[in-house]
Amino acid sequence: MFTLFEEIAALDTEKISEEFANIDIASTEEILSIINAQDALVPIAVQQEIPHIAIAVDNIVERFRQGGRLIYVGAGTSGRLGVLDAAECPPTFGTPPHLVQGVIAGGREAAFRAIEGAEDSENDGMQKMVDLGISHNDAVCGIAASGRTPFVIGAMRQANKLKAFTIFISTNSRSKMLKKVAEKNINIDVLICPQVGAEVVAGSTRMKSGTAQKLILNMLTTTSMIKSGKTYNNIMVDLQPTNNKLKERAKRILMVIAEVDLFTAEQILNETNWQVKPALLMLLCNMTFEQAQTMLRNNNGSIKQAISFMKKN
């Protein structure tokens, strides 16, 4: 059995690259060029994981349709990225706050100030899943660059017991992650393991590892929302116009898609309490607000699916 020191030293995320050994005496532009060149490798590493990301997305969408949720779990940078992605879903896609949630070791305060010791308790991670009432309807996504963070491991262990669909994002190698979850006796449904290589500053996983994680989280939620009918073409049509900028965007969406003038767009949005999707159906199909709501409910929230259904019937 490895000691903690040996376990951490063996991680891909802790590698020290001789390639960057002289970065501390390089010029500012040289340092920036090194970082930029390494960052350019991240999307390529993420691209290799698309088949696994696709499985995760399809299962997240299935859970959403069952009334379930997507729960991100992480510590430090990984936890903050999960909290950020979850927080962006309601204003961007009009989702209720509970649909996508971010859980970070150390709680809310840790999102703003590092509480690094909070990641060391498996029991805290397990308890958080119990507190959230995780069930088979939910998808739980662990985020840990190293793949060994105890808080995240505990959460995944409990999510597994509660029959949730489990996803794990790590920049440790797939072979090492398979070994790790086997050692922990956890069944992870989908492993997503982009290989980003050694960090420019050794062990600073907020850099390439964090960038890879952010790209993957964007892909998980954005693709899930598209497949859940949150867009029309490539336009966000389920946004919540909670400020002046978003209200103007909502008007423009109606004007572009339904080809109406500003006055008509404002009038119909006031009638729907600024709900863009039913407003669009009302304009495109000449129906009432109540009819539009019913059509959306019966067609997975998809405008195109609702229009197609009407044409067939």
Side-chain angles (χ1 to χ4, degrees):
M1 179 67 69
F2 285 141
T3 65
L4 178 58
F5 176 85
E6 291 170 329
E7 179 187 7
I8 291 174
L11 295 172
D12 295 337
T13 50
E14 295 294 320
K15 287 180 178 177
I16 301 173
S17 174
E18 289 298 318
E19 183 180 356
F20 316 124
N22 293 320
I23 198 169
D24 55 341
I25 57 173
S27 70
T28 300
E29 284 199 12
E30 287 171 338
I31 294 171
L32 295 173
S33 294
I34 291 169
I35 293 173
N36 181 246
Q38 288 298 302
D39 284 345
L41 302 176
V42 176
I44 299 169
V46 171
Q47 183 183 39
Q48 301 302 312
E49 294 300 298
I50 285 178
H52 305 287
I53 299 170
I55 294 170
V57 167
D58 287 341
N59 279 275
I60 290 168
V61 173
E62 183 180 337
R63 267 72 190 171
F64 285 169
R65 289 175 179 167
Q66 294 170 354
R69 304 161 292 174
L70 169 61
I71 309 295
Y72 291 133
V73 185
T77 297
S78 299
R80 293 181 196 103
L81 289 170
V83 169
L84 173 63
D85 196 65
E88 293 287 357
C89 287
T92 305
F93 298 110
T95 59
H98 74 270
L99 187 69
V100 182
Q101 298 180 46
V103 174
I104 183 170
R108 183 181 180 86
E109 186 181 354
F112 305 96
R113 182 176 68 85
I115 307 179
E116 301 299 348
E119 72 175 46
D120 290 332
S121 172
E122 278 197 28
N123 286 337
D124 286 353
M126 294 174 72
Q127 186 59 49
K128 193 61 183 177
M129 296 297 96
V130 174
D131 294 343
L132 284 169
I134 295 300
S135 76
H136 66 280
N137 286 328
D138 299 313
V140 178
C141 178
I143 316 167
S146 67
R148 62 154 302 277
T149 307
F151 179 86
V152 179
I153 292 293
M156 301 309 290
R157 183 191 303 283
Q158 189 64 32
N160 198 204
K161 288 181 181 178
L162 296 170
K163 309 300 183 184
F165 184 82
T166 51
I167 306 159
F168 205 120
I169 302 171
S170 170
T171 48
N172 208 9
S173 71
R174 183 172 301 278
S175 61
K176 289 180 181 178
M177 281 303 300
L178 287 169
K179 183 178 179 181
K180 170 64 66 179
V181 297
E183 288 173 353
K184 294 291 184 177
N185 195 27
I186 306 171
N187 176 43
I188 302 297
D189 293 303
V190 179
L191 284 172
I192 302 172
C193 304
Q195 296 297 279
V196 299
E199 298 288 1
V200 171
V201 176
S204 182
T205 53
R206 71 183 184 88
M207 300 184 74
K208 287 191 293 183
S209 290
T211 301
Q213 291 169 352
K214 177 65 173 124
L215 291 176
I216 293 165
L217 300 188
N218 284 349
M219 294 167 82
L220 290 176
T221 46
T222 301
T223 310
S224 295
M225 296 303 170
I226 291 170
K227 292 179 73 68
S228 297
K230 298 292 185 179
T231 63
Y232 180 88
N233 296 339
N234 62 335
I235 301 173
M236 297 182 296
V237 290
D238 227 349
L239 74 164
Q240 290 184 349
T242 52
N243 60 38
N244 291 333
K245 179 191 75 173
L246 293 176
K247 284 185 176 182
E248 296 308 311
R249 181 179 292 167
K251 295 175 194 176
R252 184 168 177 270
I253 288 170
L254 264 61
M255 292 170 69
V256 170
I257 296 175
E259 299 181 347
V260 297
D261 58 26
L262 179 60
F263 175 79
T264 303
E266 289 178 333
Q267 186 179 45
I268 201 83
L269 284 167
N270 281 317
E271 288 180 28
T272 65
N273 193 27
W274 291 85
Q275 296 179 62
V276 177
K277 283 169 70 173
L280 269 173
L281 264 185
M282 291 167 69
L283 291 168
L284 293 171
C285 301
N286 190 28
M287 61 174 60
T288 67
F289 180 43
E290 290 74 19
Q291 288 172 329
Q293 287 181 307
T294 300
M295 289 299 297
L296 288 168
R297 276 197 303 270
N298 293 341
N299 289 279
N300 297 316
S302 169
I303 293 174
K304 285 188 176 179
Q305 191 173 318
I307 293 172
S308 176
F309 176 84
M310 289 184 62
K311 287 180 178 178
K312 291 176 182 177
N313 294 273

